[in-house]
Every structure is written in structure tokens, then in C-alpha cells.
Amino acid sequence: NAGVTQTPKFRILKIGQSMTLQCTQDMNHNYMYWYRQDPGMGLKLIYYSVGAGITDKGEVPNGYNVSRSTTEDFPLRLELAAPSQTSVYFCASSSGSWDGYTFGSGTRLTVV
Amino acid sequence: KQEVTQIPAALSVPEGENLVLNCSFTDSAIYNLQWFRQDPGKGLTSLLLIQSSQREQTSGRLNASLDKSSGRSTLYIAASQPGDSATYLCAVRDQTGANNLFFGTGTRLTVIP
């Protein structure tokens, strides 16, 4: 049981480039989330999804987009990368409101 | 908006000591509270999940308590070991809005051999 899988683990982008961070879960969870973690700032919610075809903005959505075409996959798209998007990105999933979250191992992104 | 605070921000203890990490939250309308461990450069590992109706949960040397009405939780670690050195994060699942998880900024624990 792989849980939540994120790729890539590391990436360096130039300002203005675009990329997609991949997230896949094999637990048949309906809820999926993207967080970013900046040093000393805690984790902030970027986007979330409560099921296939349904997505919504979190606390810090600007500069990002998501899609949820299947239950398993929840990719995060960065358009026109900026240095402020340098961060560690975590994907998570949950089966319901009363259940805990399972996190992926993260993607460390640097924008130069 | 839910605010989660963790005190202290950093803690250093000698091996073998028992210790307590604190977490407070501002809105008591929660589904549950989850404690995570994060090693440097790594992801989040779930340690304990306490439902809002529960008072405590135990796993091995870890015991987490929850007082929902006062907005507080503690994580007790017994007989600390150097391998316990990590950052411990507290997160609450809010009942308002989208039922999302709100995180504290963590307590960085160092256990000195």
C-alpha cells in the first residue's frame, strides 16, 4: 500500500517557467489537499478537493491551479513561477471529516 | 478563522526525561486533532488522532490529551530518546467551512544523549 505518492521530490525552476506537481493516492480517499510549508510559517492550504470533479481554493491559491479528474490523482499546476513560490509542497488525502490525514513525502521546489 | 498555537517553539531535554508539548486552538468546533512528527527535510508522519469526543489517545510512549472546551491539547512523551528528536506538529480539523486541517508552527524537540 503506497499511500500518497508525490513526484518529483526536488525541482529547480527558472522565473516564468511552469510545472506540474503530481500527487496520487491509492486509498480511495475522497478528500485531497495541497499544502505549502515555508520555514517557521507552518503549513498553508493551497487547494483542496472533496471528490472527483470538485476543487476549491484554500488559504493561498494565487499562482496555482488544480484539477481532479479521477479519485486517485490531484495534480498542482504552477504557471509563471515566481521566487515567492519557493517552498516545500505537500499533498495529503483523507477519507472523511472524522478521519486523519495521510501526507506524501513532499516536493522541494526552488524558483531562481 | 481557526488559529493553532504551539508552545514552546523549541525544546531541548536530556535523554530519559518525560516531556510535554502544548497545543492550543481558538475554535472548539472541531472534528478531531492530529499530532504529526516531521524529521528534517522529510514529510509528515501521523502519530495520534484524537476525535472531538475523546479525551486521550495512547501509542507506545506517546499520550495525547484533548480538552476541546478549553481549546487545548498536550502530547506527552515518556522516557525520551535521541530518536525522538524531530519537529512535532499539532493540527485541528475544523467543523466550519470546508472542514480542513489547520496547523500550528510546531515544536522542535532535541533529545540530548
Side-chain angles (χ1 to χ4, degrees):
Chain A
N1 193 345
V4 179
T5 302
Q6 290 183 240
T7 56
K9 294 191 182 303
F10 304 94
R11 183 73 185 266
I12 298 175
L13 275 183
K14 293 184 179 179
I15 294 172
Q17 287 185 321
S18 301
M19 76 165 294
T20 299
L21 282 65
Q22 302 291 345
C23 176
T24 299
Q25 53 93 7
D26 62 358
M27 298 171 285
N28 201 33
H29 285 173
N30 286 322
Y31 296 71
M32 293 189 75
Y33 311 84
W34 275 105
Y35 285 86
R36 60 177 286 173
Q37 185 179 35
D38 300 311
M41 298 294 290
L43 279 80
K44 302 293 185 185
L45 182 65
I46 306 171
Y47 269 95
Y48 66 97
S49 169
V50 299
I54 306 169
T55 63
D56 209 342
K57 296 177 181 179
E59 192 178 357
V60 289
N62 291 342
Y64 308 94
N65 276 300
V66 293
S67 60
R68 185 93 182 272
S69 57
T70 66
T71 299
E72 296 78 19
D73 301 307
F74 190 42
L76 177 71
R77 177 83 177 162
L78 279 72
E79 304 282 2
L80 298 174
S84 61
Q85 294 177 304
T86 294
S87 188
V88 181
Y89 292 84
F90 288 102
C91 179
S93 71
S94 173
S95 61
S97 296
W98 296 100
D99 295 302
Y101 281 37
T102 300
F103 278 80
S105 57
T107 295
R108 186 173 297 272
L109 175 68
T110 302
V111 181
V112 296
Chain B
K1 180 192 158 205
Q2 181 77 261
E3 301 282 346
V4 181
T5 303
Q6 290 187 247
I7 295 172
L11 180 64
S12 238
V13 299
E15 182 177 0
E17 266 202 12
N18 303 325
L19 60 102
V20 174
L21 307 181
N22 296 294
C23 172
S24 62
F25 48 96
T26 55
D27 189 340
S28 61
I30 64 170
Y31 283 106
N32 50 53
L33 183 146
Q34 199 166 357
W35 281 95
F36 295 89
R37 169 187 173 134
Q38 186 175 29
D39 293 290
K42 303 294 185 183
L44 281 70
T45 301
S46 180
L47 298 173
L48 289 163
L49 173 70
I50 312 178
Q51 299 297 341
S52 59
S53 59
Q54 297 176 318
R55 299 288 291 185
E56 65 179 79
Q57 281 283 350
T58 298
S59 176
R61 294 181 294 107
L62 306 180
N63 176 276
S65 69
L66 174 64
D67 184 341
K68 194 178 74 163
S69 60
S70 69
R72 295 179 188 276
S73 176
T74 61
L75 179 66
Y76 174 83
I77 302 177
S80 58
Q81 304 170 358
D84 295 331
S85 297
T87 295
Y88 291 81
L89 297 165
C90 165
V92 296
R93 187 144 194 188
D94 210 54
Q95 284 192 350
T96 58
N99 312 142
N100 292 319
L101 206 60
F102 288 86
F103 282 84
T105 52
T107 294
R108 189 172 70 251
L109 173 66
T110 302
V111 181
I112 304 164

